Structures are given as C-alpha cells and as structure tokens.
Amino acid sequence: MNRRAYLAAVGTSLSASLAGCTSTLGVFDDSPCSGDDCTIGMTRNEFLPREYEATVGETVVWKNTSGAIHTITALESGIPDDAEYFATGGFEDDATAREQWRENHSGGLDTRETFEHTFEVPGRYEYICIPHVNADMVGTIIVSE
C-alpha cells in the first residue's frame, strides 16, 4: 500500500471513530430535561442544574439521563432541621443509604428512571450521588416561601 493511501485510510478511520465521541452535555445542550418530564437531569458525573431554586410545596423530579446508575441522597447535615429526609431507596438517613449502596448497590436509579420529592420546609438542601460523589456529583436545592 502506498503511503498516501495508508494515511488517507488512517485519517478516515480516526475521523469516523471520533465522530461518536461527544459529551452527554453536547447532546442535551446543558439541559437534559425537556418539557415536564423532570426538573433535574443526571449526566455521567453531574446533576443539571447543579443548583435549583424551588418554592415551598414544589415537587422536584430528578431523572437519570445517563447510562450510569445514580443515587439521590440528601445529606442530613445539609438540610433544614425540621425537613423530611429524602433518598432514592427510601432510606431514613445518609449513613444507611451509604451502607446499603456499599453492600448491595441498593437505592440506585437506572437509566431513564425518576425520583421525586416535595419540599415543604424552606431552606437549603444539599444532596449527593453516592457512587459519583468523588467526581463532585453534588447538588443543592434552595427552597423559599
């Protein structure tokens, strides 16, 4: 094979291979939720939006818009004192949610599954994705009257 034909073949192969390598963000234009199907989407390592403002009585819907399994796990130290705790899997606290994830991946949200929580107490709510918290997959809901 002559050198030009070889380089053309390699170049074409490389271009075709890279064409499929787009980020999830590019596919969703910074907003993986469309219409009324969800409020907060989840990409491979990120909640979008990372911070969301809600009002008392509002139901927030998270949707796993990636191929990875995620959790939504409130941090007990990061929610108002009189607020209801929330986590995928229905756990009563973040210690149990972490333990159950470590032991048997309990509380995971598969691709296209949703989770919702209604916020009844104003304040700041911090939450994480347990398997991706080390990649900084954290989020905040700020609830106002």
Side-chain angles (χ1 to χ4, degrees), residues 59-62 72 86 88 114-119:
T59 299
V60 173
V61 179
W62 288 263
I72 295 129
F86 62 95
T88 50
T114 60
F115 172 78
E116 61 183 54
H117 180 74
T118 302
F119 292 87

Side-chain angles (χ1 to χ4, degrees), residues 1-92:
M1 176 185 270
N2 83 31
R3 185 168 186 229
R4 281 191 187 158
Y6 173 77
L7 290 175
V10 169
T12 302
S13 255
L14 184 59
S15 294
S17 296
L18 291 176
C21 294
T22 58
S23 75
T24 305
L25 263 175
V27 172
F28 293 115
D29 293 328
D30 295 336
S31 181
C33 294
S34 60
D36 294 327
D37 66 344
C38 63
T39 313
I40 299 172
M42 291 173 264
T43 65
R44 182 78 178 147
N45 293 343
E46 189 173 22
F47 292 107
L48 289 177
R50 184 179 180 112
E51 183 174 291
Y52 181 77
E53 293 183 19
T55 55
V56 169
E58 183 175 340
T59 299
V60 173
V61 179
W62 288 263
K63 184 175 184 178
N64 184 350
T65 56
S66 80
I69 295 175
H70 294 295
T71 70
I72 295 129
T73 308
L75 300 174
E76 285 176 283
S77 62
I79 65 174
D81 289 338
D82 48 350
E84 180 184 354
Y85 182 79
F86 62 95
T88 50
F91 303 112
E92 305 257 340

Side-chain angles (χ1 to χ4, degrees), residues 19 28 32 46 52 54 58 60 62 67 70 76 87 93 100 103-105 108-109 112 116 123 127-128 145:
F28 293 115
E46 189 173 22
Y52 181 77
E58 183 175 340
V60 173
W62 288 263
H70 294 295
E76 285 176 283
D93 55 58
Q100 290 301 308
E103 288 181 7
N104 56 23
H105 289 176
L109 200 63
R112 304 291 178 229
E116 61 183 54
Y127 64 95
I128 63 170
E145 295 281 345

